[in-house]
Amino acid sequence: MQSLRITRVAWVVFVLAVTAGLGARADAAGPEIKVTRQYGLPYLPLMVMEHERLFEKHLARLGVSDAKVTWATMSTTTATVDGLLSGSVDFASSGITGLLTMWDKTQGSASEIRAISGISSFPYPLLSRNPAVKTLRDFTDKDRIAVPAVKISVQAIVLQMAAAKAFGPDKRTALDAFTVSMGHPTAAVAVMSGKSEVNAHFSYPPYSQEELRTPGVHAVLWANDVTNGPATTIEVVTPARVVKEHPQWVEAWLAAQNEANDFINGHRRDAAEMYLAMTKEQKLAAGDLTKILADPQVRISVAPSNTMVFAHYMHDVGSIKHLPSSWKDYFWPVAHGFQGS
């Protein structure tokens, strides 16, 4: 019996030693930095960063050479928000409406979430394959409109803004009952196939270009007309713990993103080919994407533009409790030197 107790003690000591050793080796391997993005051409700067390992390059330049950067692609805004709030994501792309919602709910707390940069602004349309739908007034309960996340995504909020203009402020949610949450690639297939109850899609490039090429699919309106000009609809967001505990990560990120932006703005076709190589999408050619990137309304920059239009609307309708005094309220100070709005 005594020898058995000794054996058990020895076993426990062995297990503890092995566990400690594994922990030491994990620590020695360096931190894992978890990054998410979503689908579509507007996320191209992050895709270039991933493909060219630019984040790792600038981390190493700043002395963080042992970090492991893990990228994941989310299909919906909801998944991105959940990852940030749970602490399982360090850097994420988020629509401006998701950013404002997270900032409003977390400001002043230890888990506060804000943005460190804008990503891009692209023109994007509300599409329908229903020939009877020419304006918002033509949608009925027989139509289903796909948006990335019902009620909270950028497209869902722009749809409300458009409804408020068309029907009056008290009817801003008139079309909400017709919306369904669906990622852009899936929604595009649904609309183009004509075999789904989803016959409309508040789309995003390049999916919108594919859909518009499909016979019977047409644009009902364009978001830029609703927001009175282009707006930076997606941002890079991160929680307070990253900004406070890992300022070198943030510095490296911004340097990498600026390098990616310079590459895209200076080498559009190369960037387009990189996008196609990463996504395996075959319905559009590099020339098609290059043309999209050359559109004067496209803006790729870390500086946000025209984001307060969303803040004012969301506060007016009670979606957020706090009205920011400027865009700098929902961006961390590291971004305050940008020429933003």
Side-chain angles (χ1 to χ4, degrees):
M1 183 68 69
Q2 180 68 19
S3 62
L4 181 58
R5 283 198 294 269
I6 293 173
T7 301
R8 285 175 175 170
V9 171
W11 174 252
V12 171
V13 171
F14 170 75
V15 170
L16 290 174
V18 169
T19 303
L22 288 175
R25 284 195 292 275
D27 291 342
E32 180 181 10
I33 305 175
K34 296 173 285 296
V35 183
T36 69
R37 58 174 171 80
Q38 296 184 46
Y39 294 96
L41 196 59
Y43 300 90
L44 183 58
L46 275 58
M47 298 176 73
V48 171
M49 288 171 61
E50 179 183 0
H51 189 273
E52 297 299 297
R53 297 178 60 84
L54 297 181
F55 190 22
E56 291 90 335
K57 167 187 169 180
H58 288 281
L59 284 168
R61 176 178 60 81
L62 295 172
V64 189
S65 58
D66 56 351
K68 176 185 178 182
V69 179
T70 303
W71 291 81
T73 305
M74 300 293 192
S75 61
T76 66
T77 302
T78 304
T80 300
V81 172
D82 289 345
L84 284 164
L85 294 178
S86 69
S88 61
V89 172
D90 299 306
F91 295 90
S93 59
S94 171
I96 180 61
T97 55
L99 164 62
L100 287 165
T101 300
M102 288 185 285
W103 165 78
D104 184 60
K105 293 183 180 299
T106 64
Q107 63 171 293
S109 71
S111 57
E112 183 171 4
I113 294 171
R114 299 192 207 176
I116 58 170
S117 64
I119 299 178
S120 64
S121 172
F122 280 69
Y124 54 103
L126 170 60
L127 304 173
S128 174
R129 69 172 302 117
N130 182 347
V133 175
K134 303 299 183 184
T135 70
L136 292 186
R137 294 182 178 277
D138 300 322
F139 282 107
T140 71
D141 58 5
K142 295 181 180 179
D143 296 293
R144 290 296 177 268
I145 306 168
V147 294
V150 171
K151 294 184 182 295
I152 65 171
S153 64
V154 170
Q155 283 83 354
I157 297 299
V158 173
L159 187 60
Q160 288 186 2
M161 295 167 70
K165 289 184 177 181
F167 311 133
D170 60 327
K171 300 289 181 61
R172 63 181 180 82
T173 62
L175 300 176
D176 282 11
F178 308 153
T179 60
V180 296
S181 296
M182 188 175 289
H184 288 303
T186 306
V189 170
V191 170
M192 291 187 292
S193 71
K195 298 178 180 179
S196 168
E197 67 171 359
V198 174
N199 61 356
H201 176 204
F202 216 141
S203 192
Y204 230 26
Y207 310 107
S208 52
Q209 278 70 19
E210 295 179 37
E211 291 168 277
L212 284 169
R213 289 183 174 186
T214 304
V217 178
H218 61 279
V220 179
L221 59 79
W222 288 82
N224 285 357
D225 294 330
V226 179
T227 57
N228 298 319
T232 304
T233 53
I234 49 175
E235 284 73 29
V236 176
V237 297
T238 191
R241 63 173 176 81
V242 171
V243 174
K244 293 177 181 178
E245 298 173 13
H246 304 288
Q248 288 178 310
W249 294 7
V250 176
E251 182 180 348
W253 178 280
L254 291 175
Q257 190 179 346
N258 274 313
E259 184 172 344
N261 291 349
D262 289 342
F263 175 79
I264 295 167
N265 290 324
H267 306 85
R268 293 191 183 107
R269 187 175 184 88
D270 291 338
E273 291 175 348
M274 191 178 298
Y275 176 90
L276 293 173
M278 293 182 71
T279 61
K280 311 299 182 185
E281 294 176 3
Q282 300 178 352
K283 293 185 178 180
L284 288 172
D288 298 318
L289 300 183
T290 303
K291 185 177 180 180
I292 295 172
L293 293 171
D295 187 325
Q297 294 188 82
V298 170
R299 185 173 182 271
I300 295 175
S301 172
V302 295
S305 177
N306 195 26
T307 59
M308 282 293 290
V309 65
F310 291 97
H312 282 292
Y313 174 80
M314 293 177 69
H315 181 263
D316 288 347
V317 301
S319 296
I320 57 175
K321 295 180 180 179
H322 306 91
L323 177 63
S325 59
S326 80
W327 65 275
K328 294 182 180 180
D329 287 355
Y330 44 90
F331 275 74
W332 292 111
V334 69
H336 290 180
F338 301 156
Q339 297 299 310
S341 63

